[in-house]
Amino acid sequence: MGKITPVRFGHFTFDYSSRLLLWNGAPRHLSPKAQELLNVLIASRPRALSRQELFEALWPQTFVAESNLASIMNELRRALGDDAREPRFIRTVHSYGYAFCGEITDALPVHAAATLVCDGQSYPLVNGENIVGRGAGSNIALPHRAVSRRHARINVSPSEMSIEDLGSTNGTFVNGAPVRERIVITPESFLVFGAIGARITPRCNSSTTASVKISISDVAIMQTTA
């Protein structure tokens, strides 16, 4: 699952990378957790997400009261002017969770600063933060058991790219060395998320989609010889 940002629905424009929700061009306040919730729901549409998936996306590896999700959902619905009984944007799936049901009328193009090529797939890296993991709240979803739900963060700015590990179980590596703090990376860097190898190309280029496919055994060799 990837994020498309910014997006338009109804009279709203939502840009997660800049943390901005606009209604007819005017800002609408949303707390960081409400922004994350809206982003996860939009990115997963039309699939309904269970409450457990949402808890893992919003509060990874943290125990919080069940009322926290209801409180964040109420805040989001107030900002959107949405009614749970007659939803335009967020549908309640009783005894399960929630789904984004609004129509995306205009998905503005994402200007990818680079591309992460990983296990035969290409993922655009946009300016700002790009979360790598197997959870519902990840920009770059890697459904592999060696990858944590929130595994790593790749930060992209006009001047540099960097990566940091988010407390993953199996670690993040750059050129064979474990990432223990934020590290600047380049297109020459070889990345490993748990047991999944990846490289970065300078710009989004679909022709590179199948050009890098690195096996787990290759990763093990690279890690031991680095």
Side-chain angles (χ1 to χ4, degrees):
M1 174 198 65
K3 293 181 175 63
I4 302 174
T5 182
V7 294
R8 292 178 181 170
F9 52 95
H11 294 286
F12 291 95
T13 300
F14 179 57
D15 184 359
Y16 182 70
S17 64
S18 63
R19 304 296 197 272
L20 192 62
L21 175 68
L22 302 176
W23 180 79
N24 284 339
R28 284 282 178 93
H29 174 73
L30 277 182
S31 68
K33 287 299 181 187
Q35 294 166 4
E36 289 183 35
L37 176 57
L38 177 57
N39 196 52
V40 169
L41 290 170
I42 289 176
S44 301
R45 71 188 193 283
R47 186 170 76 89
L49 295 178
S50 69
R51 288 182 176 84
Q52 183 60 38
E53 286 179 290
L54 291 172
F55 274 109
E56 291 173 351
L58 298 178
W59 297 281
Q61 300 178 335
T62 303
F63 175 79
V64 297
E66 291 189 10
S67 59
N68 284 32
L69 179 59
S71 176
I72 298 299
M73 180 59 70
N74 288 337
E75 177 195 345
L76 178 55
R77 281 183 163 141
R78 284 194 302 270
L80 298 178
D82 207 22
D83 188 336
R85 293 167 295 184
E86 297 180 3
R88 293 183 300 150
F89 303 122
I90 300 175
R91 174 173 60 92
T92 299
V93 183
H94 293 288
S95 302
Y96 184 75
Y98 303 94
F100 186 85
C101 60
E103 181 181 357
I104 301 295
T105 57
D106 185 14
L108 301 178
V110 174
H111 299 289
T115 302
L116 184 74
V117 184
C118 182
D119 200 27
Q121 299 293 321
S122 292
Y123 304 90
L125 296 173
V126 299
N127 286 318
E129 70 172 26
N130 300 263
I131 302 298
V132 180
R134 60 183 175 87
S138 302
N139 301 60
I140 300 167
L142 304 179
H144 192 282
R145 62 185 180 182
V147 177
S148 297
R149 295 190 180 278
R150 280 174 58 88
H151 196 102
R153 177 188 293 113
I154 298 175
N155 295 295
V156 178
S157 73
S159 59
E160 68 176 23
M161 287 184 291
S162 63
I163 190 169
E164 53 188 310
D165 185 76
L166 297 177
S168 65
T169 300
N170 295 309
T172 302
F173 302 84
V174 174
N175 298 329
V179 175
R180 306 195 188 282
E181 57 185 17
R182 189 180 74 87
I183 295 177
V184 174
I185 55 177
T186 70
E188 288 73 38
S189 301
F190 175 65
L191 313 179
V192 174
F193 306 103
I196 303 299
R199 289 194 183 276
I200 292 174
T201 60
R203 67 186 68 179
C204 188
N205 184 349
S206 59
S207 67
T208 63
T209 299
S211 64
V212 177
K213 184 147 186 159
I214 304 166
S215 69
I216 293 177
S217 59
D218 292 334
V219 170
I221 292 171
M222 292 178 185
Q223 289 180 349
T224 55
T225 58

